[in-house]
Amino acid sequence: MFKQLRNRFLIVNLVSISIMMLVAFATIYIITYQNVQRETNMELFKVSDFYHNPYGTSKIPRGGEGGSGTGTPPSESPGNGAPGSDPNSPPGRSVSFMVKTDSEWKITDAYSRFDMDDTFYTEALQKVNKVDDLDRKTGQFTLNGTDWAYVVDPSSTGYMIVFMDVTAQQGILTNLIYTFAIVGLIMLIVIFFLSRYFANRSITPVKEAFEKQKQFIADASHELKTPLAIINTNTDVLLANREDTIENQAKWLHYIKSETERMSGLTNDLLYLTQIDDARSSVIHAKFNMSDAVETIILTMEAVIFEKNISLDYSIEPQLMVHGNSEQIKQVILILLDNAVKYSRAKGSVNVSLKKQNNDVMLSVSNTGEGIAPEHLDRIFDRFYRTDASRARKNGGHGLGLAIARSIVEQHKGEIYARSVVGEGATFYVRLS
């Protein structure tokens, strides 16, 4: 289930990012394409204007001297220096040539700064879309692996078509597509592994919560199963002896009452935990005297401690104030002190300490007993978790006391933890501000 959840997260994440990348790349490409086309058209029109200016009023002979297929204007001769150095030469940044045709689309004149065959002019002209109106038309085509842009200028005698090499400009757009494809692929690979890593981390708390929920249901069912079995058994005994008196059957009734009280205590603890979780924002907190709260709980436990023949030592600094709910904090103190008494060895001792530590108030409750093994220290605050289930049942515990204490302390933005030495005892600490 969690693997499917992770895979769905990955798919949604990758699809979303792919769409965003595609939109971003398409936007960049469209903007770049428009800029390249605009610059190409501007340069093409400049070249066209040049061919209009020097040759607009004079006829250009087709074919040059020696049958080179080019005409050379009087103001320009081959080898006349760097291209574009003559003001009458076309712009030198691009390769260009010009073809004149009559109204029937037959070549009458041609000019190029480079040696070109007449067949090349004919092939280039065949790539041009013939126009029937008097508007200037532009277009592009590919010939012999070279990209050309052209502009058609109608005139009274025919048409003048100017061609310009735009292979470099088209190469920019092609390289941009390849770059986007490679960068996009690399980014998707990187994003996949990053998404997988964060998906696993995101799902881990959900998985842990789910496992804890399953364990909680199993533990609660187990806790309820035993008293229900006892009640059912004792009820069967009573039904089997219907003629007997209540006085003679009192033992079975006491067992039923005892287990009923046990179930009642369990359900009350569960309800209390739920109320704590649901009422985190509605509990009223105020300043109260923590020292008085600890002394009050100690006084209520003195009889129990005396009955179990356990010595009690305590050291409480007076007038220590804490911000929180006094009744809930008293509940925490009672849980810790009750556990310390229950799990203390015979004729052992319990020590309670309350003191100021920096800006916080530190409560510690320790006892002398078997202690808690290191592998249990991190889990003893989980619901229904007990290091010794048989001993906990003997002492009347459900494994919810420390879970309640942790919920209350966390609600007060405090800290609760335990330290223990096996065979010597355990100490529980509560830090509040």
Side-chain angles (χ1 to χ4, degrees):
M1 180 181 70
F2 293 102
K3 187 175 181 180
Q4 292 177 349
L5 182 63
R6 184 199 66 183
N7 291 339
R8 289 180 182 178
F9 175 82
L10 285 176
I11 292 172
V12 171
N13 194 38
L14 288 176
V15 169
S16 301
I17 293 176
S18 299
I19 292 174
M20 289 189 291
M21 287 173 53
L22 186 62
V23 171
F25 289 165
T27 303
I28 295 173
Y29 180 81
I30 290 172
I31 294 173
T32 305
Y33 177 82
Q34 291 176 344
N35 290 336
V36 169
Q37 290 297 112
R38 183 167 56 252
E39 292 177 0
T40 299
N41 289 335
M42 289 176 61
E43 189 170 357
L44 182 62
F45 291 150
K46 287 181 181 178
V47 174
S48 177
D49 291 340
F50 161 77
Y51 284 114
H52 273 287
N53 292 333
Y55 304 122
T57 57
S58 61
K59 188 174 181 178
I60 307 172
R62 275 196 76 200
E65 192 176 320
S68 63
T70 63
T72 304
S75 60
E76 181 182 350
S77 61
N80 192 29
S85 60
D86 195 314
N88 292 323
S89 64
R93 289 192 300 169
S94 301
V95 177
S96 62
F97 64 93
M98 178 274 294
V99 172
K100 278 190 174 183
T101 70
D102 57 17
S103 59
E104 299 299 326
W105 210 249
K106 293 181 180 180
I107 299 177
T108 57
D109 298 300
Y111 170 73
S112 174
R113 292 186 300 152
F114 304 93
D115 292 338
M116 294 182 179
D117 296 332
D118 289 346
T119 57
F120 183 81
Y121 296 129
T122 302
E123 292 175 356
L125 188 61
Q126 292 175 351
K127 297 284 187 177
V128 177
N129 294 324
K130 186 177 179 180
V131 296
D132 297 326
D133 51 31
L134 299 179
D135 294 332
R136 172 180 275 188
K137 301 292 184 180
T138 60
Q140 292 187 11
F141 64 88
T142 301
L143 181 61
N144 298 333
T146 303
D147 295 314
W148 296 92
Y150 65 86
V151 57
V152 180
D153 288 318
S155 64
S156 59
T157 59
Y159 303 94
M160 185 176 76
I161 305 98
V162 176
F163 299 84
M164 185 179 69
D165 184 0
V166 292
T167 304
Q169 290 88 331
Q170 293 298 317
I172 292 174
L173 297 176
T174 303
N175 291 335
L176 189 61
I177 293 176
Y178 289 146
T179 302
F180 283 164
I182 295 172
V183 171
L185 181 61
I186 294 174
M187 287 182 64
L188 285 177
I189 293 173
V190 173
I191 290 170
F192 171 78
F193 287 104
L194 286 176
S195 298
R196 187 175 180 180
Y197 171 74
F198 286 112
N200 288 332
R201 291 199 60 180
S202 300
I203 291 174
T204 297
V206 179
K207 186 177 181 180
E208 290 178 354
F210 182 77
E211 294 298 330
K212 287 183 178 180
Q213 186 71 13
K214 286 175 59 180
Q215 186 64 38
F216 171 77
I217 295 173
D219 291 338
S221 300
H222 179 74
E223 288 292 331
L224 292 171
K225 182 180 179 180
T226 301
L228 285 173
I230 294 174
I231 291 172
N232 186 58
T233 302
N234 286 278
T235 303
D236 290 339
V237 172
L238 290 174
L239 291 174
N241 298 276
R242 296 181 182 182
E243 303 299 329
D244 208 345
T245 63
I246 294 178
E247 183 179 356
N248 293 335
Q249 302 295 328
K251 178 176 66 173
W252 315 113
L253 293 173
H254 284 306
Y255 289 157
I256 293 174
K257 185 175 185 301
S258 175
E259 294 304 320
T260 303
E261 291 175 349
R262 177 178 174 81
M263 289 177 60
S264 177
L266 174 60
T267 53
N268 287 337
D269 286 344
L270 290 174
L271 288 173
Y272 186 71
L273 272 172
T274 304
Q275 291 170 358
I276 292 175
D277 293 337
D278 292 342
R280 289 182 181 273
S281 59
S282 60
V283 175
I284 299 175
H285 289 186
K287 284 281 186 180
F288 70 95
N289 194 317
M290 181 73 170
S291 302
D292 290 345
V294 175
E295 289 179 352
T296 300
I297 299 301
I298 290 176
L299 289 175
T300 60
M301 290 290 294
E302 273 189 342
V304 177
I305 295 172
F306 177 78
E307 183 182 351
K308 293 201 172 189
N309 197 20
I310 295 173
S311 63
L312 173 66
D313 296 320
Y314 55 90
S315 173
I316 301 173
E317 293 185 12
Q319 301 302 317
L320 293 182
M321 306 300 292
V322 170
H323 186 268
N325 184 279
S326 61
E327 294 303 319
Q328 288 187 342
I329 296 302
K330 287 179 181 179
Q331 179 79 0
V332 173
I333 301 168
L334 180 61
I335 290 171
L336 296 181
L337 189 55
D338 182 59
N339 279 354
V341 174
K342 282 180 181 179
Y343 297 102
S344 179
R345 67 166 62 102
K347 297 183 180 181
S349 63
V350 173
N351 184 275
V352 179
S353 172
L354 182 69
K355 60 183 178 180
K356 187 80 170 179
Q357 191 174 78
N358 298 325
N359 295 324
D360 300 327
V361 173
M362 176 67 79
L363 169 69
S364 64
V365 180
S366 61
N367 71 343
T368 55
E370 295 180 2
I372 303 171
E375 62 269 19
H376 297 303
L377 284 176
D378 293 334
R379 299 193 58 192
I380 56 176
F381 295 99
D382 294 343
R383 298 178 184 184
F384 293 111
Y385 188 82
R386 291 171 298 195
T387 59
D388 188 345
S390 61
R391 187 180 178 191
R393 182 169 293 278
K394 181 181 177 181
N395 290 326
H398 302 293
L400 293 175
L402 291 178
I404 293 173
R406 181 179 64 176
S407 295
I408 293 174
V409 172
E410 288 178 351
Q411 180 183 341
H412 285 74
K413 304 211 179 339
E415 182 183 11
I416 182 170
Y417 57 94
R419 291 175 181 171
S420 177
V421 177
V422 177
E424 295 185 8
T427 304
F428 285 82
Y429 298 90
V430 176
R431 185 192 304 274
L432 298 171
S433 58

